[in-house]
């Protein structure tokens, strides 16, 4: 299982938004690694209402597939090591299963070492 999260931050008045894909048993390192990857002073998870409105997907089903084209998709390097991962499909009632390495081929992907920490 891999979780797709939506984060936002700003720099010089410019909003920077990204999705983050991490393994289900890990936690995105938002305050350090994600913030650094977005080059923002502070970032946080986007509110549920904003994430749903801006992705056009259901909460609990947000996926890195089909996000706005200008959003980077930050993928923890450990996701690529998995034989298969299960991700959202855009709706809660279904999921997508794909090889972990295939996540690197999704549009806008940036693979980041240490994007998540063990919980």
């Amino acid at each position: 299982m891999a979780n797709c999260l939506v984060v936002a931050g700003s720099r010089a008045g410019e909003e920077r938004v990204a999705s983050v894909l991490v393994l289900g048993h890990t936690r995105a390192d938002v305050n350090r690694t994600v913030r650094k990857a977005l080059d923002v002073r502070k970032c946080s998870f986007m509110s549920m209402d904003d994430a749903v409105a801006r992705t056009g997907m259901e909460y609990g089903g947000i996926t890195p597939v089909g996000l706005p084209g200008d959003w980077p998709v930050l993928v923890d390097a450990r996701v690529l090591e998995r034989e298969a991962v299960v991700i959202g499909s855009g709706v809660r009632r279904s999921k997508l299963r794909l090889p972990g390495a295939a996540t690197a081929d999704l549009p806008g992907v940036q693979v980041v070492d240490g994007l998540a920490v063990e919980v």
Side-chain angles (χ1 to χ4, degrees):
M1 174 72 97
N3 295 324
C4 183
L5 315 162
V6 181
V7 296
S10 64
R11 180 157 189 103
E14 172 194 335
E15 182 184 50
R16 298 183 184 182
V17 177
S19 71
V20 176
L21 189 65
V22 298
L23 294 174
H25 70 279
T26 64
R27 181 178 45 109
D29 184 8
V30 175
N31 292 321
R32 194 174 354 178
T33 312
V34 175
R35 181 184 59 78
K36 191 174 181 179
L38 286 178
D39 190 28
V40 294
R41 192 174 178 105
K42 180 181 173 187
C43 75
S44 58
F45 297 109
M46 190 177 284
S47 75
M48 178 181 69
D49 291 338
D50 283 345
V52 167
R54 294 176 70 178
T55 63
M57 301 178 201
E58 291 181 9
Y59 180 74
I62 294 176
T63 178
V65 179
L67 289 171
D70 58 340
W71 287 17
V73 178
L74 307 175
V75 177
D76 184 62
R78 288 177 282 191
V79 172
L80 278 63
E81 298 170 0
R82 293 296 172 121
E83 181 178 330
V85 291
V86 175
I87 60 174
S89 66
V91 294
R92 286 190 67 126
R93 61 192 165 276
S94 70
K95 300 290 182 195
L96 301 172
R97 184 173 189 257
L98 66 154
T103 60
D105 297 328
L106 295 172
V109 164
Q110 298 171 23
V111 177
V112 180
D113 284 320
L115 188 63
V117 295
E118 297 285 332
V119 289

